[in-house]
Amino acid sequence: MASSGSRTRPACADQEDMPKTWMEASLDKDKEKDVHIPSCWCADVCKLKVSTDRNKSWTEGRRFFVCPNYAHDRRRPTNAYDIPPSPPPLCKYFTWIDHEVPKDVQEDQRRDWLRRQRLFEESYARGLERERREKEARERKKREEERARKEKEARQEERARKLVRARDAREEDEARDKKGKWPRAT
């Protein structure tokens, strides 16, 4: 192994956190002179990368060490003859250097959260407005049905009054005819 006797290899990070896209990175020799470059499980010295994975925003911008034989880090072949006959061992070792999310990524995450929150609130407000309109429509329909029912009752009452008047008038006419001077035709 490439590590010295007193240094141990950092534990491998959770594979689910492994970024899918990254680019080369380097250590700042002045600020990070005490950072130890570990060797991976296949005893090669790890490469330093920086995550560019936008799908996993908590990893974006963070640096990590990864096995130089990691599957996604190999150069893409241009034709079938470029593929090596047997691939190197793939140990899938990686470990984070930056355990904190960079400030610019935190700011992006905060903006994304605020945007999602605003979209949620707008959607919620639209839902409340739609419910209010539906309730008003139901109440308007109920008032219209009540008005139509009252109009129908009023028409029926008016018809009943007219029928009573017509019957009374007919009976009165019949009673007058019976009292009249002219003899009844038989």
Side-chain angles (χ1 to χ4, degrees):
M1 284 198 183
S3 64
S4 64
S6 65
R7 295 187 181 174
T8 59
R9 175 186 307 118
C12 184
D14 187 359
Q15 289 295 318
E16 290 180 9
D17 290 340
M18 181 68 183
K20 299 292 183 217
T21 58
W22 58 70
M23 58 188 218
E24 297 290 329
S26 61
L27 290 172
D28 184 355
K29 296 295 181 190
D30 295 331
K31 294 180 184 174
E32 300 170 320
K33 51 187 159 199
D34 60 338
V35 174
H36 167 68
I37 301 175
S39 60
C40 64
W41 291 320
C42 48
D44 290 337
V45 175
C46 289
K47 290 183 179 179
L48 179 63
K49 306 287 183 177
V50 63
S51 172
T52 58
D53 195 348
R54 295 285 301 170
N55 293 332
K56 296 180 181 178
S57 60
W58 69 93
T59 69
E60 186 181 15
R62 290 174 66 188
R63 295 175 306 162
F64 59 97
F65 288 119
V66 65
C67 173
N69 303 318
Y70 197 84
H72 300 325
D73 196 31
R74 288 187 302 174
R75 185 173 55 88
R76 305 267 177 191
T78 55
N79 61 45
Y81 298 106
D82 286 347
I83 300 173
S86 62
L90 301 174
C91 69
K92 295 188 177 185
Y93 175 82
F94 89 101
T95 186
W96 294 108
I97 297 173
D98 300 328
H99 294 286
E100 292 184 17
V101 178
K103 295 290 182 198
D104 60 331
V105 174
Q106 287 179 355
E107 185 60 29
D108 286 348
Q109 289 172 340
R110 189 178 86 53
R111 274 194 300 265
D112 286 347
W113 181 85
L114 289 173
R115 182 182 56 80
R116 284 191 306 271
Q117 185 68 23
R118 186 183 51 145
L119 290 174
F120 171 77
E121 289 170 357
E122 289 171 359
S123 174
Y124 184 74
R126 281 192 306 269
L128 289 176
E129 180 64 21
R130 183 175 54 247
E131 286 178 10
R132 184 189 62 76
R133 283 192 309 261
E134 290 171 355
K135 183 178 179 184
E136 286 177 357
R138 284 191 305 269
E139 290 173 354
R140 191 172 35 252
K141 183 179 178 183
K142 189 176 180 180
R143 285 192 304 267
E144 286 294 319
E145 289 172 352
E146 182 66 21
R147 186 185 59 75
R149 185 185 60 77
K150 285 182 179 180
E151 286 177 358
K152 183 178 179 182
E153 287 177 0
R155 283 192 308 269
Q156 287 174 344
E157 288 174 3
E158 181 65 24
R159 180 172 162 68
R161 280 194 301 274
K162 286 181 180 181
L163 285 172
V164 167
R165 262 189 301 186
R167 187 187 69 219
D168 290 346
R170 189 177 57 236
E171 288 174 358
E172 189 179 299
D173 282 351
E174 287 175 2
R176 195 178 18 190
D177 285 345
K178 289 182 185 177
K179 294 182 186 177
K181 303 179 197 176
W182 304 101
R184 260 175 94 165
T186 48

